Amino acid sequence: MTDVSALRSRWQDALVAARGGSPDPDPLPYADNLLERWAEPQRRYHTTTHLTRVLDHVDALAGHASGPDLVRLAVWFHDAVYRPDRSENEERSAALAERALPEAGVPDPATAEVARLVRLTVSHDPADGDTNGEVLCDADLAILASSPKEYAAYAAQVREEYGFVPDDAFRAGRADVLRQLLGLPRLFRTPHGAEVWEPRARQNLTTELELLTR
């Protein structure tokens, strides 16, 4: 079960840091609004559990980022708007950050960076040297390098989110996504991701693709 109080504290810490230590306005109403979004009933994988795990991965990779607290805020917003049948989720999530963060006291340059990072999750393809982007994208994709059991649960949750798609169409579409990922020269950009996560992720992706295309 997700520890909501711990998530609220993590949001507060990141937001206060991003606005230079100011305690006002109260961070928690913004946390609660986002947590309501992350708990919407259409979600199976993109839930508060995913939010928590991505934040944990950012914490592990934080030394690589130039602005780790801005990366943490981007994690909160990156799937804040999520409808499986729509393609503009990342853009709408970034726009939400652009509305909410200035109201919450975050300076414009920091808000712009958070929104940029959210939009980067469309492609998960940060430019070389974009350390904030590398940390966010690696943290978001870290599920691909989980244990076989955890990966199978993730794949099943993704299928549940797309329950409105017929089996044949889903299998074809998912297989295309997996081939695209396997065709990338590298899935992870941070040193830890490249060394530790890359081999396991490629094995998991290959196994799922084989199961889909039998």
Side-chain angles (χ1 to χ4, degrees):
M1 181 177 293
T2 301
D3 187 339
V4 172
S5 63
L7 279 172
R8 293 172 92 233
S9 294
R10 293 173 86 165
W11 164 264
Q12 178 169 312
D13 290 346
L15 182 65
V16 170
R19 62 193 190 192
S22 173
D24 299 313
D26 183 358
L28 295 182
Y30 297 92
D32 292 339
N33 177 276
L34 287 165
L35 287 168
E36 286 180 13
R37 292 173 176 274
W38 281 90
E40 291 165 341
Q42 77 277 9
R43 298 169 182 257
R44 294 296 183 271
Y45 170 67
H46 296 88
T47 64
T48 51
T49 298
H50 173 61
L51 170 62
T52 300
R53 287 175 176 169
V54 179
L55 288 170
D56 289 345
H57 291 312
V58 169
D59 288 349
L61 300 172
H64 185 76
S66 61
D69 286 303
L70 300 184
V71 179
R72 293 182 179 102
L73 292 180
V75 173
W76 277 87
F77 281 99
H78 83 289
D79 286 320
V81 178
Y82 183 73
R83 294 290 185 276
D85 59 340
R86 297 180 183 176
S87 61
E88 71 277 11
N89 291 315
E90 292 87 357
E91 178 58 36
R92 294 176 68 204
S93 295
L96 177 65
E98 290 169 333
R99 294 194 304 271
L101 289 176
E103 182 182 292
V106 176
D108 289 346
T111 295
E113 174 66 355
V114 172
R116 181 189 74 82
L117 291 169
V118 173
R119 292 185 172 101
L120 190 57
T121 62
V122 174
S123 65
H124 292 94
D125 186 22
D128 289 343
D130 177 7
T131 58
N132 286 343
E134 289 172 348
V135 168
L136 176 62
C137 291
D138 277 19
D140 194 29
L141 293 179
I143 184 63
L144 302 181
S146 57
S147 70
K149 182 178 179 180
E150 291 172 325
Y151 185 91
Y154 146 74
Q157 289 164 349
V158 171
R159 180 64 185 106
E160 287 182 39
E161 286 187 339
Y162 287 88
F164 57 90
V165 179
D167 279 345
D168 287 349
F170 177 82
R171 291 166 72 91
R174 180 70 177 170
D176 286 344
V177 170
L178 297 174
R179 291 189 188 98
Q180 181 181 15
L181 288 169
L182 286 166
L184 295 173
R186 51 184 177 163
L187 295 165
F188 298 101
R189 309 300 179 88
T190 64
H192 178 83
E195 179 179 350
V196 178
W197 293 340
E198 185 90 19
R200 292 203 308 249
R202 289 192 175 275
Q203 181 59 56
N204 283 331
L205 292 168
T206 300
T207 298
E208 185 186 1
L209 181 59
E210 289 172 350
L211 291 172
L212 286 172
T213 57
R214 280 179 174 174

